[in-house]
């Protein structure tokens, strides 16, 4: 007899499960069925934690109503605490991309919780006659209300991390804006010289746009707390005690610390993925704006001798295996790539939402993975951008001042006094002669030096 496995049974037959595994037969079948991405469910820490809270709220509600023995309910709740703490993430080996609308994820959680609770009560793993993954842990539930509720909760948790990092990045850009406040430069439109500004204004604008996106993310996330827990299979609440349905969402709010609301119509809520699409769109907006900023940083630092070279990014690694001394803007580049992924993930969410038929969307696993992976990468890349790039950016002040004074874009500042035609003539003469706009305006007797300088600073 192979003592390294235990034999478990389901409606399809029997299967060997590693004796040491916290999971059971349903999880084992999923491992065999979905060798897809190689990314295990346990890597999505926030989702595992959210599942634990959902299962704990259900167990406490079922125990209070006498639907499961109080001793069993207590053991399940304590097992959920262990799961929420992150102590058993390794016991969630199911691939994040899976068929079945998340059933494998739900069963993985049910089995892990049941086996943790069994051990706490002194029983060996797999003793489901005492605590059953379906009969006790999944009581009054269906994957179809558990999984989307957990995903919504996980996104709320993940957003807290992302917002914190975005706020810190915004502060770093604002600090650089203050440091560069007195450094003049020429602003550009369509990659052509436009009008005078300061480098500080450019960096402050980066800070402001990230502050705006934090607000947009919060607005999109306001749709997430509406959940369907208690709806069971398709929203009718079948197999769930009516008293359970009335209480479980309030219980989950207490357990999770997140104020959740009961969906107005459970049938609609069971298949509706609109909140995920809205939130995904907000994530894409943030990612693309971060990418735009990083593209600007790369352009502004280009050179260092034959490009714009207006700023210096902190050198992080050798840039070439063949070109000595070359240093690349690797940190902005990696953030660009994260943004490309997030944009693609948003399309994945859209397609998955579109193809959910009738009373259930079977494709929520790819929606969940796309959103959670996007948030994780955005959070990490935001940290990297702040720590390894933005905080160490320096201005090429001498070059900026020289270019600002020499640029014909300065002529725009003369418009209020001299008008467009005269200012354009001054710009042309400055460009041809190589003189500055200030020098030409003074030499032509059109303005005094102090008048020109005052307009330039306005």
């Amino acid at each position: 007899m192979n003592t390294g496995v235990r034999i478990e049974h389901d409606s399809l037959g029997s299967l060997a499960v590693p004796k040491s595994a916290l999971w059971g037969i349903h999880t084992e079948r999923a491992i065999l069925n979905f060798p897809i991405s190689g990314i295990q469910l346990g890597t999505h820490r926030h989702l595992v934690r959210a599942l634990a809270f959902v299962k704990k709220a259900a167990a406490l509600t079922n125990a209070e109503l006498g639907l499961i023995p109080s001793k069993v309910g207590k053991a399940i709740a304590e097992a959920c605490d262990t799961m929420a703490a992150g102590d058993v993430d390794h016991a969630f080996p199911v691939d994040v991309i899976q068929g079945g609308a998340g059933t494998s994820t739900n069963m993985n959680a049910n089995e892990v919780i049941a086996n943790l609770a069994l051990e706490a009560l002194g029983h060996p793993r797999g003793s489901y006659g005492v605590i059953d993954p379906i009969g006790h842990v999944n009581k009054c539930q269906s994957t179809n209300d558990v999984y989307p509720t957990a995903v919504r909760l996980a996104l709320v948790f993940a957003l807290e991390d992302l917002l914190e990092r975005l706020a810190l990045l915004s502060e770093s850009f604002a600090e650089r804006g203050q440091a560069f406040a007195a450094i003049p430069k020429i602003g550009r439109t369509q990659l052509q010289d436009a009008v005078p500004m300061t480098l500080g204004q450019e960096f402050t604008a980066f800070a402001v746009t990230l502050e705006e996106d934090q607000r947009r993310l919060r607005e999109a996330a306001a749709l997430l707390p509406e959940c369907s827990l208690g709806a069971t299979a398709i929203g009718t609440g079948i197999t769930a005690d009516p008293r359970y349905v009335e209480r479980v969402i309030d219980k989950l709010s207490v357990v999770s610390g997140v104020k959740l609301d009961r969906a107005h119509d459970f049938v609609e809520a069971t298949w509706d993925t609109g909140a995920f699409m809205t939130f995904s769109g907000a994530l894409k907006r943030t990612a693309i704006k971060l990418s735009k900023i990083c593209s600007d940083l790369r352009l502004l630092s280009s050179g260092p001798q034959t490009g714009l070279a207006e700023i210096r990014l902190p050198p992080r690694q050798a840039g070439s295996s063949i070109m000595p001394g070359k240093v690349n803007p690797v940190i902005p580049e990696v953030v660009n790539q994260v943004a490309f992924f997030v944009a693609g993930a948003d399309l994945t969410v859209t397609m998955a939402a579109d193809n959910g038929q009738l009373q259930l969307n079977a494709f929520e696993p790819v929606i969940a993975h796309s959103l959670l992976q996007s948030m994780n990468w955005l959070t990490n890349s935001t940290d990297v951008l702040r720590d390894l790039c933005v905080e160490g950016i320096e201005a090429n002040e001498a070059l900026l001042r020289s270019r600002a004074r020499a640029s014909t874009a300065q002529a725009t500042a003369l418009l209020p006094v001299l008008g467009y035609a005269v200012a354009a003539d001054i710009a042309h003469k400055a460009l041809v002669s190589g003189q500055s706009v200030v020098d030409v305006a003074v030499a032509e007797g059109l303005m005094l030096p102090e008048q020109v300088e005052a307009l330039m600073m306005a």
Side-chain angles (χ1 to χ4, degrees):
M1 180 177 179
N2 187 351
T3 58
V5 299
R6 63 178 188 266
I7 305 300
E8 293 196 9
H9 310 274
D10 64 7
S11 59
L12 298 181
S14 301
L15 196 65
V17 177
K19 194 170 185 178
S20 61
L22 278 169
W23 64 82
I25 187 170
H26 297 282
T27 303
E28 193 67 26
R29 289 195 189 281
I31 294 171
L32 298 173
N33 287 336
F34 307 123
I36 306 300
S37 71
I39 303 172
Q40 296 186 351
L41 176 64
T43 63
H44 286 321
R45 171 91 281 277
H46 291 302
L47 181 55
V48 173
R49 179 180 174 221
L51 282 164
F53 288 144
V54 171
K55 295 297 178 180
K56 180 176 181 179
L60 292 175
T61 304
N62 284 324
E64 286 177 4
L65 296 173
L67 301 176
I68 61 174
S70 59
K71 184 178 181 181
V72 170
K74 182 174 183 295
I76 291 174
E78 291 175 353
C80 290
D81 289 339
T82 300
M83 178 173 155
D87 296 340
V88 291
D89 287 353
H90 62 277
F92 290 85
V94 175
D95 199 288
V96 293
I97 306 300
Q98 56 191 255
T103 297
S104 296
T105 294
N106 185 37
M107 289 305 302
N108 195 167
N110 289 335
E111 291 172 340
V112 168
I113 292 166
N115 282 313
L116 285 172
L118 284 168
E119 286 194 330
L121 294 179
H123 301 281
R125 298 176 184 181
S127 303
Y128 300 141
V130 180
I131 298 179
D132 185 74
I134 297 177
H136 294 112
V137 182
N138 201 63
K139 183 74 173 179
C140 292
Q141 302 154 65
S142 164
T143 294
N144 302 348
D145 63 339
V146 166
Y147 188 78
T149 297
V151 172
R152 288 168 178 265
L153 199 53
L155 294 176
V156 172
F157 294 150
L159 182 60
E160 294 174 2
D161 294 340
L162 177 57
L163 289 175
E164 178 185 344
R165 303 316 202 287
L166 284 172
L168 292 173
L169 179 59
S170 180
E171 290 172 8
S172 292
F173 275 120
E175 185 279 327
R176 289 290 80 194
Q178 292 176 351
F180 301 152
I183 301 176
K185 65 164 286 179
I186 299 301
R188 298 178 180 86
T189 58
Q190 295 158 281
L191 296 179
Q192 306 300 305
D193 295 351
V195 298
M197 66 182 300
T198 67
L199 187 63
Q201 288 174 319
E202 193 164 29
F203 273 74
T204 298
F206 294 155
V208 170
T209 202
L210 292 177
E211 290 171 2
E212 290 179 353
D213 270 60
Q214 292 169 60
R215 291 193 289 272
R216 300 296 84 79
L217 284 167
R218 288 190 181 94
E219 289 168 1
L223 300 174
L224 295 174
E226 182 185 281
C227 64
S228 60
L229 193 61
T232 67
I234 63 169
T236 63
I238 192 169
T239 75
D241 188 298
R243 297 170 299 165
Y244 167 91
V245 177
E246 292 173 359
R247 300 185 187 189
V248 71
I249 290 177
D250 289 339
K251 184 70 72 176
L252 180 56
S253 294
V254 173
V255 167
S256 67
V258 176
K259 178 64 177 69
L260 300 165
D261 301 310
R262 178 176 173 171
H264 174 69
D265 186 302
F266 271 176
V267 173
E268 184 270 347
T270 302
W271 61 257
D272 178 40
T273 55
F276 296 143
M277 284 191 288
T278 298
F279 188 70
S280 181
L283 280 180
K284 182 178 73 171
R285 168 190 161 124
T286 299
I288 296 305
K289 289 172 76 171
L290 270 173
S291 185
K292 188 272 183 196
I293 291 171
C294 286
S295 294
D296 283 357
L297 295 179
R298 290 167 51 225
L299 188 57
L300 292 172
S301 66
S302 61
Q305 294 171 303
T306 59
L308 296 185
E310 293 186 355
I311 60 174
R312 302 184 189 93
L313 305 183
R316 288 300 169 190
Q317 61 188 62
S320 173
S321 62
I322 189 174
M323 294 170 278
K326 189 173 188 289
V327 178
N328 295 327
V330 294
I331 303 303
E333 286 174 349
V334 78
V335 179
N336 285 135
Q337 292 174 79
V338 168
F340 306 158
F341 174 86
V342 175
D346 178 60
L347 178 58
T348 298
V349 171
T350 301
M351 296 304 297
D354 176 43
N355 285 279
Q357 293 87 19
L358 303 178
Q359 278 68 60
L360 178 67
N361 190 307
F363 308 116
E364 286 191 0
V366 78
I367 291 177
H369 173 64
S370 296
L371 292 173
L372 290 169
Q373 187 72 80
S374 292
M375 295 180 77
N376 180 254
W377 284 14
L378 274 174
T379 300
N380 293 341
S381 63
T382 299
D383 260 349
V384 167
L385 181 60
R386 183 188 77 250
D387 291 342
L388 301 184
C389 182
V390 175
E391 292 182 350
I393 292 176
E394 297 176 348
N396 191 346
E397 186 170 352
L399 178 66
L400 284 166
R401 290 188 180 278
S402 173
R403 285 178 175 171
R405 185 164 187 84
S407 174
T408 57
Q410 298 277 15
T412 305
L414 307 182
L415 284 178
V417 175
L418 302 179
Y420 183 89
V422 175
D425 183 59
I426 291 174
H428 175 72
K429 289 177 179 177
L431 190 62
V432 171
S433 67
Q435 292 178 289
S436 71
V437 167
V438 174
D439 291 340
V440 173
V442 172
E444 295 280 323
L446 297 171
M447 299 183 72
L448 296 173
E450 57 268 25
Q451 290 177 307
V452 182
E453 294 291 350
L455 285 173
M456 299 298 182
M457 298 301 294

